[in-house]
Amino acid sequence: MDLFQSTTNADALPLGNHVLFSSDDVDHARAAVAEVYCDHRLEVIGRNPFAAQHNRLSGKALSINVMTYGAKTMIAPGALEGFYLFQFPVRGHASVNNGKNRYEIGGGTGGVINPEASTTMIWSEDCVQVMMQIEKRAFIEAACAEVCLPAGASLQFSGANKLHNSEGRAFLGILDYVIREAERGEVLLGGDTLLSKQLERTLMVGLLQTQVHNFTSVVTTNTGPMPRIIRSAESYMRENLGAPIMVEDIASAAGTSVRNLQGAFRSRYGRSPMTVLRDLRLELAWEELSNPTRTTRVTDVATELGFFHLGRFSEIYRKKYGCTPIETLRAARPGEGFGPF
């Protein structure tokens, strides 16, 4: 399946049922974009006719946008100030000047515009971009949690980044999934459920993992005892999600004491190792219930992952995902009449 292709019309832009505006008037387009982004200068510098369209799916802390101007266009917003902007051309290319960063995106590369630096862009006449607009405050909070960004530190992205590797494909796959579900009428962003909040956080973390920034080394290096302990522990957990393991087993696999293991997890996640293990098991349960076979049963999924009290399993599952396990299963295979257990 190709990424970012409309599910209804091969020639249409993705998110075609979430049109913000469509216009061949430059002033109208500039004003409409300014309402959701920021004030900017917009000039047509090519010969093709101007034909702008902006589709937009709004969440709580971020929005997913699909845009084209039709013609070769220069956009000069200055400093974005309140938000970061990830850009990924699915057709054509764009040149970006963001402070000292100067790069070209397109052909499988994307980039993030920093909010503090003055920005100027030139989009090619055939450019269609999938973009994420992320509130600066929310992104900084995510970075503090995920890459230990110190309080008051600045998060700065740099350059164009290829998204051809496994992490890049996974990130784009999640973005594409959210877009496709919205086209089917299932809007996953913007709700008050834990699933909506988790999806937004996952997309932010995806950018932290796939785009170069001033804390990339924290994400990618293998130095330091705490990251090694956590990586070893989490690897052991993922390999034994269905086994009756205890915190002593995890500590032994990580080559440390229970006390050091608990301290590492508290510092990194603010949670105990066993709580992290429980959440990993819940994630696997959600994945299996969301992609069921004809014989998938909630009881079997729960017990195979060590949840033997079904009422408690249903309660913590609902708190994490905003729905019960059986609701997830029924949504994954509607109309088939399978029993809940």
Side-chain angles (χ1 to χ4, degrees), residues 21-30 32 50-54 68-69:
F21 77 89
S22 179
S23 177
D24 58 5
D25 183 87
V26 174
D27 290 334
H28 175 227
R30 185 201 60 76
F50 183 83
Q53 183 171 334
H54 185 167
T68 186
Y69 289 108

Side-chain angles (χ1 to χ4, degrees), residues 285 288-289 291-305 310 313 325-326 329 333 338-341:
E288 292 188 4
L289 293 171
N291 301 277
T293 67
R294 290 185 61 84
T295 59
T296 298
R297 299 165 69 239
V298 171
T299 302
D300 293 338
V301 171
T303 55
E304 286 172 4
L305 291 172
L310 295 183
F313 169 65
I326 187 57
L329 183 59
R333 52 186 189 193
F338 290 91
F341 302 107

Side-chain angles (χ1 to χ4, degrees), residues 28 36 54 80 103 111 138 157 168 185 199 204 220-221 224 237 258 277 286 312 329 338:
H28 175 227
V36 294
H54 185 167
L80 304 181
Y103 54 87
F157 291 84
L199 270 175
M204 293 184 211
T220 59
T221 58
M237 289 178 185
V258 170
L277 175 62
W286 179 84
R312 174 61 177 160
L329 183 59
F338 290 91

Side-chain angles (χ1 to χ4, degrees), residues 158-199:
S158 60
N161 300 273
K162 294 182 179 180
L163 292 161
H164 298 304
N165 61 14
S166 58
E167 285 190 341
R169 292 194 302 270
F171 164 67
L172 293 177
I174 295 171
L175 188 56
D176 180 66
Y177 170 73
V178 174
I179 289 173
R180 288 178 182 273
E181 288 300 298
E183 289 181 330
R184 296 185 181 100
E186 296 293 333
V187 177
L188 302 178
L189 297 184
D192 292 322
T193 66
L194 287 177
L195 178 58
S196 293
K197 296 175 183 177
Q198 192 170 57
L199 270 175

Side-chain angles (χ1 to χ4, degrees), residues 91-110:
R91 291 205 298 268
H93 62 275
S95 300
V96 180
N97 290 340
N98 178 225
K100 295 181 179 180
N101 285 322
R102 300 188 178 192
Y103 54 87
E104 190 95 358
I105 52 176
T109 65

Side-chain angles (χ1 to χ4, degrees), residues 217-340:
S217 61
V218 179
V219 181
T220 59
T221 58
N222 295 327
T223 59
M226 187 174 296
R228 181 194 61 76
I229 290 172
I230 292 174
R231 282 195 305 276
S232 298
E234 289 189 355
S235 178
Y236 178 79
M237 289 178 185
R238 292 181 186 278
E239 292 171 359
N240 294 276
L241 291 178
I245 59 176
M246 301 176 65
V247 68
E248 291 83 359
D249 301 316
I250 302 171
S252 178
T256 190
S257 67
V258 170
R259 182 175 180 178
N260 285 344
L261 179 74
Q262 291 174 332
F265 273 75
R266 289 291 181 188
S267 296
R268 183 72 173 86
Y269 298 118
R271 294 177 292 164
S272 71
M274 296 306 288
T275 301
V276 172
L277 175 62
R278 183 200 67 184
D279 286 348
L280 290 174
R281 286 170 167 166
L282 285 173
E283 290 172 8
L284 182 56
W286 179 84
E287 182 177 342
E288 292 188 4
L289 293 171
S290 298
N291 301 277
T293 67
R294 290 185 61 84
T295 59
T296 298
R297 299 165 69 239
V298 171
T299 302
D300 293 338
V301 171
T303 55
E304 286 172 4
L305 291 172
F307 298 103
F308 298 105
H309 191 297
L310 295 183
R312 174 61 177 160
F313 169 65
S314 182
E315 179 184 353
I316 60 176
Y317 185 102
R318 181 180 55 79
K319 286 182 179 179
K320 184 174 180 66
Y321 294 111
C323 61
T324 64
I326 187 57
E327 287 171 343
T328 301
L329 183 59
R330 286 172 175 166
R333 52 186 189 193
E336 294 188 18
F338 290 91

